[in-house]
Amino acid sequence: MKDLAAVSGQTGGPESSLQPLEPAAPKADIHRGQASRRKFPATFCLPFFFGLMFLLTWQLEGFHRLFRLEHYQLPIPSAIAAAILDNAPMLWSYSLYTGSEILGGCLAGSLLGLIAAAAASFVPRAGRGAITLMASLNAIPIVALAPVMNNWFGDGVASKMAIVSVMTMATMAVSAFKGLRSIEPPYLELMSSYAAGKLQTFAKLRFRSALPAVFTALKINMSTSIIGAIVGEFFISSRGLGFLLSDQIKLANMPLAWSCIVIAAVMGIILYYAVQLAERLAIPWHAAHRRR
Amino acid sequence: MLSDEAVPSTEIAVERISMVFGKKDHEVEALRDVSFEIYKNEFVSLLGPSGCGKSTLLRLMADLLEPTSGRITIGQEHPREMRLRRKFGIVFQNPTLFEWRTVKDNIELPLEVFGIKKSEYSKISDQLLEMVGLTPFKHHYPWQLSGGMQQRVAIARALSLDPPILFMDEPFSALDEFTKEKLQLDLLEIKKKTNKTIVFVTHSIPEAVFLSDRVIVLSSHPGRVHSILNMDREEGSPSLVRQSGLFHEMTAAVRKCFYKESDSLDGQMV
Amino acid sequence: MTGRWSRGWSGGAVVALWMVLLLALWEGAAWYIANVAQVTAPASKLPYPHLVLGTLREHFRPLLEQGAITFGNSITGFVIGSAVGCALAVVMSLSRTVEHTLSPYMVASQMVPIIGLAPIVYGIVHDAALSRVLMAGYVTFFPVTINTLRGLQSVKQEQLELMRSYAANTWALYTKLKLKAALPGLFAGLKLSGPLAITASIIVELMGAPDGVGVLMISSLYYGTSQVYMFWSTVLVSVAIGLVLFLLISLAERLITPWQPEFRANGGEPR
C-alpha cells in the first residue's frame, strides 16, 4: 500500500536518517544482509565516541597543526568551556533573550506560512504562483532584512522576530502547500463520493496528510531561526548571543565568541529534537515511526 | 432475486456514453457509444481486459468524471444529484484507508462528513464492524491489518451511509486467492442482507460469473459493450455453485466472447 | 479533482500577475506611509518601488558586475558543496555505521550560525573569493546530503530484489537504480540550498570583502537615508540572483528527471 505520508513528505528536510535512537520499519537494504538490525549501543555509542575523538583532536591542537591555525583564530575546547563557566549568568540570560526571538519568530513565521499554504490550496491555480513567489523570500539575504526591520520595529525583540518570521514563512508555505496538494487521486475521489465540501476535504484529508511535510518544514525552520535571530542581533541589538558574538569578535576575545557559537548549536539541537518529539506525538501514524 | 419480479425497475441508465481523454494531439478514446441499464437490487459486473474503460465507466456513474457525450441517469437523476445526496458508496482496488484513523474512525468518516451526530454514528459503525467481522480490531490502525482486512474496512465504510448503490472497482484483485474467495462469499452475504444494487468492475471471468446476476462484457480500444450475459443464478449454497455445471457453462459462455474477440484482435494487430 | 485545473495553465503568467499585484501593493503601502501615516523619513521605512527601480536602472552596470561576482563565487561554492553532499549521502547510505556516527553532528553543524564562522573563515584564508566559496559550500552540503540520502533510501524493496536477481554488484545497484531514484531528492535539496549559498556569500561580503553586491549593500547603509534607494536596489539584485539560481536548478530538474509525477501532462490524474 502506498501511504499518504510517503507521498506528502517527499520534499526534503532532515527526516529519516536523523533519528538515530529509533528502530524504524524494516528498511530496504537487502544488499547488506542484516545491516538493518539496529542496536542501541551502536546508534548511541558510535556518535558519542566520534565526538569524543573530535574534541580530543581539537584539544590536542590537531586541527591547528593541520590547517596552520593559531589559538586566537580557533580557541581550544578547554578555553571555550572556561569562558562559558566564567560568563554563565550572562550567557544564560542572553540565551533566554535569543531563545524567545527564535521561538516567537519561528512559530509566527511558520503559522503565517501554513495559513498562506492553506489559502493557496483552496485556489490552486492562483495559489501556486503566489507560493512560487513566496519561495523567492528564501533568496533574500537575512542581513538585508536587518536594517529594514530595525526601521520598522525598533531594536527590541520584535525586529528580530520579524526577521525570523520572514525567513521561516517561505519554507513552511512551500512544504505545506506541496503536502496539501499531493494527495493520491483515489482519496480525493473517495471524499468526492461523499459529496464532502472543500472545507471538509481540507480538514479531514488534506491537512492530516500534510502534517509530515509541516513537521519537516518546522525542523528546517528551527535551524534557520537560530541563524536569523543571531544575524539580526549582530546588526541591531545590545543584548543576546548574536550581539555578544559580534562584540567579542571585534574585541578578539575568541573563547567567549566561540561559547556563543557552541551555545547556539546546543540550543539548535535541543529545539530540533523537541520538534521531533512533537512530531511523534502529533502524527503517531506516520510511517517513519512505525514499529512492526 | 431478479427472476421473481415481474418487471424489474431501472436503477441506472447509461445512454450512448462516449469518453475521450487528453488534448488535441494525444486523444485517447476510452469509451465509444456505450449503452446499458442496471436494474434495482441487481448485481452487475463490468467485465473486460485492461484498457476497456470499465473503471472509467464506473467513475462516470459515480460522477467522478464527466462524459464527453451521452447521458447517465441514476433513478431518473443526474449522477451529481445522487452523489450530493450520498446515494452510493465506493470501494476501490486499494483500500484507500486514512492511515491516521483507526478502523472504527475510518468507517465513521462518511458519517462525519454527512454531519450525523457522534452518538448515533458510533452505533452504526459498531453494527458494520460486526457485519464484516472486525469488531476485535476496531481500535487498530490500517497498517496493523492484512490486505483482506483492510478491504473489509473499506467495504464497511462504503456501507456506512446505507446507500442503495454500491460501486466496486476491482476490489479484490490485489488480494490472494484464498482471501479473495472468502471476501466474495462475504460480499454475497452482505448483498443478501442489504439487497443493494451493486456495480462490480473486474477482469476475472470466474469472479464475474460467480457473483453477478448479469455480466456486461466490454471490448477494448475503444471500450464498447460486447455483449450482456444473463447468469441464471442457481439457488443454494454459494460455495457449491463454484463446482456446479451451470457455473462452468456460464464461464465458458463468457470466455467465448473474448476468444472471438481476441481472434479478431490478432487479425488487426498483424 | 481540482488539481486538474491548475496544471494546464502556464505557471509563469500567474507568477507575473502576482508580481505586478505585489508591486502595486508595495507602491500603495509606500504612498500610505508617506502621505497618510505621517512618518518621519518615510523613504527609509518603505521607499516607492518605482524610485527603487529607477535607481536600479541608473546603476545597472555596477550592480550587474558586482552581482555577477557574488553569483560566480556562490555557484562555485554551491557546486562544491553539492558534490560533497552527494558523496556524503552515498557513503552514509552504504554504511549505517557512518550514517549513525555522522547524523547528530550534521544536525549540529547546521545549528552553527554561519555569521559566526564567516569572520573566522575570512581571518584564516584572507581571501574574499575563497571564503565566499567555502561559506557557500558549507551551507549547501547539509540540505543536499539529507535529501539525497532520503532519495537513496526511498528505493522500493521490489526494485532492490529485482537488481539482486540480476546479481548486480554495488556499483551497478547505485548507477542503475539508487542514484536515479535519489535524483528527485537531490533536486529538492539543491533548490533549498541554492538561495542559501547566495545568502552565505553576501554575508561574507558584509564582513569585509573588497567586492560583490554585499559591499554595495553595506556601503549604501553607511551613507544613511540618501542611499536608501541604492540599498533597496542591492536587495532586489540579491533576490534576483537567488531567483536565477533557483530557476536554473528547476530547469535542470525538468530536463534531467522528466519522469517525476509533477512534470507529467496529466499530473497523475485517474485514467
Side-chain angles (χ1 to χ4, degrees), chain C residues 76-148:
Chain C
T76 315
F78 175 68
V79 169
I80 294 173
S82 309
V84 172
C86 286
L88 216 55
V90 170
V91 171
M92 284 169 89
S93 81
L94 279 171
S95 156
R96 216 149 257 238
T97 314
V98 176
E99 186 194 330
H100 290 315
T101 310
L102 290 186
S103 298
Y105 296 100
M106 290 189 58
V107 177
S109 80
Q110 286 313 289
M111 305 304 172
V112 173
I114 47 166
I115 190 86
L117 279 185
I120 293 163
V121 169
Y122 189 62
I124 293 169
V125 300
H126 284 300
D127 179 73
L130 184 58
S131 41
R132 263 178 293 202
V133 169
L134 284 176
M135 293 311 296
Y138 179 79
V139 296
T140 304
F141 92 94
F142 179 77
V144 173
T145 309
I146 292 302
N147 284 286
T148 310

Side-chain angles (χ1 to χ4, degrees), chain A residues 2 9-20 26-32 35-36 38 42-43 46-52 67-69 73-74 121 124-130 132-133 135-145 147-148 150-153 171 178 181 185 188-189 192 198 206 216 219-220 222-224 226-227 230-231 234-235 245 249 254 258 260-261 264-269 272-273 286, chain C residues 1-7 9 11 14-15 18-19 22 33 44-46 92-108 110-117 119-120 123-124 126 142-143 146-147 149-150 152-153 155-157 160-161 164 170 173-174 178 185 188-189 192 195-196 198-199 202-203 206-207 217-218 221 228 231-232 235 238-243 246-247 260-262 267-270:
Chain A
K2 293 174 197 156
Q10 69 191 179
T11 23
E15 183 88 49
S16 65
S17 65
L18 296 177
Q19 291 154 352
K27 271 273 163 60
D29 48 10
I30 51 162
H31 66 293
R32 276 188 279 122
S36 64
R38 294 186 179 189
T43 56
L46 267 172
F48 183 76
F49 192 70
F50 179 78
L52 209 65
F67 300 110
R68 302 216 184 104
L69 298 175
Q73 287 169 322
L74 180 66
S121 77
R125 185 163 39 166
R128 196 175 297 273
T132 307
L133 208 62
S136 72
L137 280 179
N138 272 337
I140 301 178
I142 324 148
V143 264
L145 288 174
V148 178
N150 189 19
N151 270 333
W152 288 356
F153 299 107
T171 305
K178 188 156 186 172
R181 294 301 308 173
L188 292 172
E189 289 181 338
S192 178
K198 275 191 162 191
R206 287 190 194 278
T216 301
K219 283 184 203 166
I220 298 172
M222 274 301 162
S223 76
T224 325
I226 291 176
I227 296 173
I230 285 186
V231 173
F234 216 92
F235 287 88
L245 175 63
I249 287 177
M254 288 321 246
W258 272 87
C260 297
I261 294 180
V266 170
M267 216 143 86
I269 295 167
Y272 179 89
Y273 283 103
H286 188 35
Chain C
M1 299 291 288
T2 37
R4 198 188 330 162
W5 303 108
S6 61
R7 311 273 174 192
W9 263 58
V14 182
V15 174
W18 276 101
M19 229 131 125
L22 210 68
I33 285 177
S44 71
K45 295 247 182 222
L46 194 69
M92 284 169 89
S93 81
L94 279 171
S95 156
R96 216 149 257 238
T97 314
V98 176
E99 186 194 330
H100 290 315
T101 310
L102 290 186
S103 298
Y105 296 100
M106 290 189 58
V107 177
Q110 286 313 289
M111 305 304 172
V112 173
I114 47 166
I115 190 86
L117 279 185
I120 293 163
I124 293 169
H126 284 300
F142 179 77
I146 292 302
N147 284 286
L149 185 61
R150 285 191 73 183
L152 288 169
Q153 291 173 339
V155 176
K156 290 196 189 81
Q157 188 73 25
L160 281 175
E161 282 164 356
R164 197 173 156 80
T170 307
L173 183 70
Y174 270 78
K178 283 199 157 192
L192 272 175
L196 277 179
I198 308 267
T199 308
I202 291 177
I203 288 178
L206 290 165
M207 304 307 302
M217 189 181 287
I218 199 121
L221 269 179
V228 71
F231 170 76
W232 280 90
V235 173
S238 47
V239 170
I241 297 173
L243 271 184
F246 185 85
L247 290 177
Q260 286 198 70
E262 53 188 289
E269 287 291 317

Side-chain angles (χ1 to χ4, degrees), chain A residues 238-251:
Chain A
S238 47
R239 291 190 68 194
L241 291 175
F243 159 75
L244 190 65
L245 175 63
S246 74
D247 207 40
Q248 297 304 310
I249 287 177
K250 280 177 207 143
L251 296 172

Side-chain angles (χ1 to χ4, degrees), chain A residues 7 13 35 45 75 82 96 166 213 218 260 286:
Chain A
V7 174
C45 289
L96 289 183
V166 173
L218 212 54
C260 297
H286 188 35

